[in-house]
Amino acid sequence: DAPLDLDLTLKRLDTPEHSALAKAVRARVTGRNRVHRLELSGEFAAHRHMQLVAAGGFLPVWQWRGQLQELRVTEATGSRLALRSAAPLDIASDSWSLGPAELAGESPDWHGELRAAADAHSLRASLTARGERLGHVTGHLAAGMEGPWTLARENAWQGRARIDIADLAWLGKLL
């Protein structure tokens, strides 16, 4: 049960396809192998600021189990997304899962639940959200995977959504 103490700062990440893909990123891990805390913050993909906090630990086999304790995403447009309460998070070399994660957003105001999981062959995700202006949205997505971390480019995505929206005016902010 070795101690963990990592403090990493990334000033800017550029790729051939994207300039400033990430800026001012800071990752900090404190604790021990079996019980530790990860804090991550930075600006990602065109002015989206993100803060993330997770706590958990490594199991005897290569697997990390814990909770996503905080997630906040703020966009330059004023839109916000936040985790309302801690959500289970499991990560292994051959799979991962998140949820149920209770989320809330602003511009427009809404709240919902997200579940997602992937293994070597498939990704599955579902979302249910409600809001006064948003209405009621439910959706399910399935996609082929080339391992738990890479979408299969040749496979079709399958999904379904049910959207009951009374007011479409809020979409203008997103377009």
Side-chain angles (χ1 to χ4, degrees):
D1 192 27
L4 294 174
D5 189 10
L6 171 71
D7 194 348
L8 178 68
T9 302
L10 176 70
K11 184 175 179 180
R12 181 180 169 129
L13 175 64
D14 294 313
T15 67
E17 297 84 24
H18 298 92
S19 176
L21 185 61
K23 295 191 296 190
V25 176
R26 182 172 186 210
R28 181 162 169 78
V29 180
T30 56
R32 304 188 75 72
N33 279 344
R34 286 190 291 160
V35 179
H36 54 266
R37 178 179 171 96
L38 164 69
E39 299 173 16
L40 177 68
S41 64
E43 186 178 309
F44 300 90
H47 308 292
R48 287 182 184 94
H49 186 265
M50 182 184 76
Q51 286 182 265
L52 177 146
V53 176
F58 291 108
L59 300 177
V61 294
W62 169 225
Q63 184 177 1
W64 186 91
R65 179 169 289 154
Q67 292 185 327
L68 183 58
Q69 294 183 324
E70 180 181 333
L71 175 64
R72 296 179 195 280
V73 179
T74 306
E75 296 192 27
T77 62
S79 295
R80 295 179 188 169
L81 170 97
L83 184 68
R84 294 175 77 179
S85 61
L89 177 61
D90 289 329
I91 301 172
S93 60
D94 61 350
S95 63
W96 60 265
S97 67
L98 169 67
E102 293 183 44
L103 304 171
E106 296 178 12
S107 294
D109 290 337
W110 61 273
H111 63 276
E113 180 181 281
L114 171 70
R115 294 174 186 260
D119 59 26
H121 307 288
S122 65
L123 165 71
R124 298 153 315 281
S126 65
L127 172 70
T128 301
R130 287 186 182 277
E132 186 175 325
R133 294 185 74 194
L134 177 68
H136 184 199
V137 176
T138 59
H140 302 277
L141 172 71
M145 300 291 283
E146 294 175 0
W149 306 102
T150 306
L151 286 167
R153 294 178 186 245
E154 303 300 318
N155 293 11
W157 291 24
Q158 295 179 346
R160 90 175 169 259
R162 179 177 171 93
I163 304 170
D164 297 318
I165 299 175
D167 176 9
L168 296 176
W170 64 269
L171 285 171
K173 288 183 178 182
L174 301 176
L175 302 176

